[in-house]
Amino acid sequence: MTYAIISLGGKQYRVQEGERLLVDRLPTEEGKTFHPEVLMLGGDGAFELAPKTQVTARVIGSPLGEKIRIGKYRPKSGYRRHTGFRAKLSQIEIESIGGAAKKAAPAKKEEAAAEAPAKLPRGYAGMTVADIKEKSDHWTGEQVEAALEYEHAHAKRKGALAALEARKEHLDGS
């Protein structure tokens, strides 16, 4: 059982993989992952201070906390004031500690590659937008067409679509 102690917003939390937490609002958007600062890593009776491992967390939502009612009162003078407060929170889920869950991620890329048409360049499903921009200069017209078709059907990445359409126009103009 591996656990980590992370620091978020000046507070420390003991976390395990798959655990969900409510923490003070984070600047990270919903659905995005981030890597909080890891203070300690422990488990199985041993621990390591200031480890070099990373904890990967995903922001699931941004709810408001419970309403807190605050009242001021002074006797015999009729002075009463009421106000309320709701904390802005972020709900996070710990995806992996030390990269243990990253082994499952390449399987998805292989499945996506299996669905891809045969004319696609090798490893296209796993390419980033920067890779596509760089490598599309060496592709044939069929490969560019297949990549455009794949982007429209699956990924819909704006940067990749723009790069592929520009390359297609270049090929059509030649």
Side-chain angles (χ1 to χ4, degrees):
M1 178 187 302
T2 303
Y3 68 91
I5 296 180
I6 61 172
S7 176
L8 281 174
K11 297 177 184 172
Q12 297 175 3
Y13 301 92
R14 182 182 187 270
V15 297
Q16 294 177 337
E17 285 186 22
E19 188 175 356
R20 291 186 177 201
L21 299 170
L22 276 175
V23 298
D24 291 336
R25 180 75 50 99
L26 298 170
T28 310
E29 297 176 22
E30 283 187 32
K32 302 284 184 181
T33 60
F34 67 99
H35 303 286
E37 180 185 355
V38 181
L39 303 175
M40 189 182 102
L41 189 66
D44 298 327
F47 69 92
E48 181 182 352
L49 289 174
K52 294 184 177 169
T53 58
Q54 277 190 339
V55 171
T56 304
R58 180 179 301 276
V59 177
I60 296 173
S62 300
L64 290 174
E66 281 188 41
K67 181 174 264 190
I68 298 172
R69 301 279 300 168
I70 302 159
K72 295 181 181 180
Y73 167 76
R74 292 205 180 117
K76 300 181 187 118
S77 65
Y79 178 85
R80 290 180 176 86
R81 298 287 181 266
H82 292 280
T83 185
F85 172 77
R86 292 184 78 177
K88 294 181 175 160
L89 304 171
S90 290
Q91 186 175 22
I92 63 170
E93 180 177 11
I94 306 300
E95 290 187 337
S96 68
I97 296 177
K102 290 183 180 177
K103 293 177 183 174
K108 293 178 183 176
K109 291 180 181 177
E110 291 172 7
E111 291 172 8
E115 297 173 4
K119 296 178 186 175
L120 267 179
R122 185 184 311 158
Y124 181 82
M127 287 185 186
T128 63
V129 173
D131 291 338
I132 293 169
K133 287 179 183 177
E134 180 182 321
K135 295 177 181 177
S136 65
D137 295 336
H138 307 292
W139 294 346
T140 65
E142 287 182 340
Q143 289 176 320
V144 172
E145 285 289 332
L148 264 172
E149 184 179 315
Y150 179 84
E151 283 296 325
H152 284 294
H154 296 93
K156 298 183 181 175
R157 298 178 286 190
K158 291 179 185 177
L161 285 170
L164 291 169
E165 287 171 355
R167 179 65 182 152
K168 181 181 175 187
E169 289 175 16
H170 178 73
L171 288 173
D172 291 343
S174 298

